Amino acid sequence: MLIGISKLISPELLKVLMEMGHSDEIVLADGNFPAASHAQRLIRADGHHVPELLDAILQLFPLDQYVDKPAALMQVVPGDTVETPIWANYGSIIAKHTGLDSPFEEVERFAFYERAKKAYAIIATGESALYANLILKKGVIAAEN
């Protein structure tokens, strides 16, 4: 363990976050997402929920400030009546860390899967909320003068 780094951030996840460059993407996948079959790099975070991981990650990880929507949600399948209250939770967490009020694009389910296959890494969580998958696009950290 380290001072100032959440215990939710495993050594493997910290390494991946450090390796990622500007515009690389990482997926926070719910428990139903086919993470193992889609991941170039799979990070297990079983037992953890996406909101807590998102909060811990955004303490270390800048979102891309050069795009309109640096986060992507899996769009609810047309005709599905499921509610997605977790999205508001994500929005609050992102706003707290970035000040962004509208950071999300919604991506059709199969397009989301294809985008996830190209992501730098997928974090497989134990999140049980439906449509709780989230893609984050990494930004830059300005040089200190």
Side-chain angles (χ1 to χ4, degrees):
M1 294 189 35
L2 297 170
I3 296 170
I5 297 177
S6 168
K7 64 183 179 179
L8 297 175
I9 305 290
S10 68
E12 182 182 21
L13 177 53
L14 185 60
K15 176 184 181 290
V16 163
L17 294 175
M18 290 286 295
E19 288 174 344
M20 292 175 66
H22 180 225
S23 81
D24 279 341
E25 294 185 327
I26 192 164
V27 179
L28 284 78
D30 66 32
N32 289 304
F33 191 84
S37 65
H38 283 52
Q40 294 184 48
R41 293 166 192 83
L42 179 64
I43 299 168
R44 302 296 320 187
D46 302 291
H48 296 305
H49 296 281
V50 173
E52 292 79 14
L53 275 169
L54 176 62
D55 188 53
I57 288 168
L58 290 181
Q59 292 176 43
L60 307 170
F61 184 96
L63 291 182
D64 193 340
Q65 59 270 50
Y66 299 115
V67 297
D68 289 334
K69 307 290 183 185
L73 300 165
M74 181 186 284
Q75 186 179 67
V76 175
V77 173
D80 194 340
T81 59
V82 68
E83 297 292 322
T84 55
I86 199 164
W87 293 3
N89 195 355
Y90 294 169
S92 296
I93 294 165
I94 290 172
K96 177 178 83 171
H97 289 284
T98 67
L100 295 172
D101 292 329
S102 182
F104 302 114
E105 65 175 302
E106 290 184 30
V107 179
E108 184 273 333
R109 177 181 169 212
F110 292 106
F112 190 100
Y113 288 150
E114 290 306 310
R115 189 163 161 185
K117 288 177 184 177
K118 297 173 187 170
Y120 191 83
I122 297 176
I123 305 168
T125 74
E127 182 59 59
S128 60
L130 298 178
Y131 295 99
N133 304 299
L134 178 64
I135 298 174
L136 303 175
K137 184 179 291 285
K138 189 173 184 183
V140 297
I141 298 173
E144 295 181 25
N145 293 326

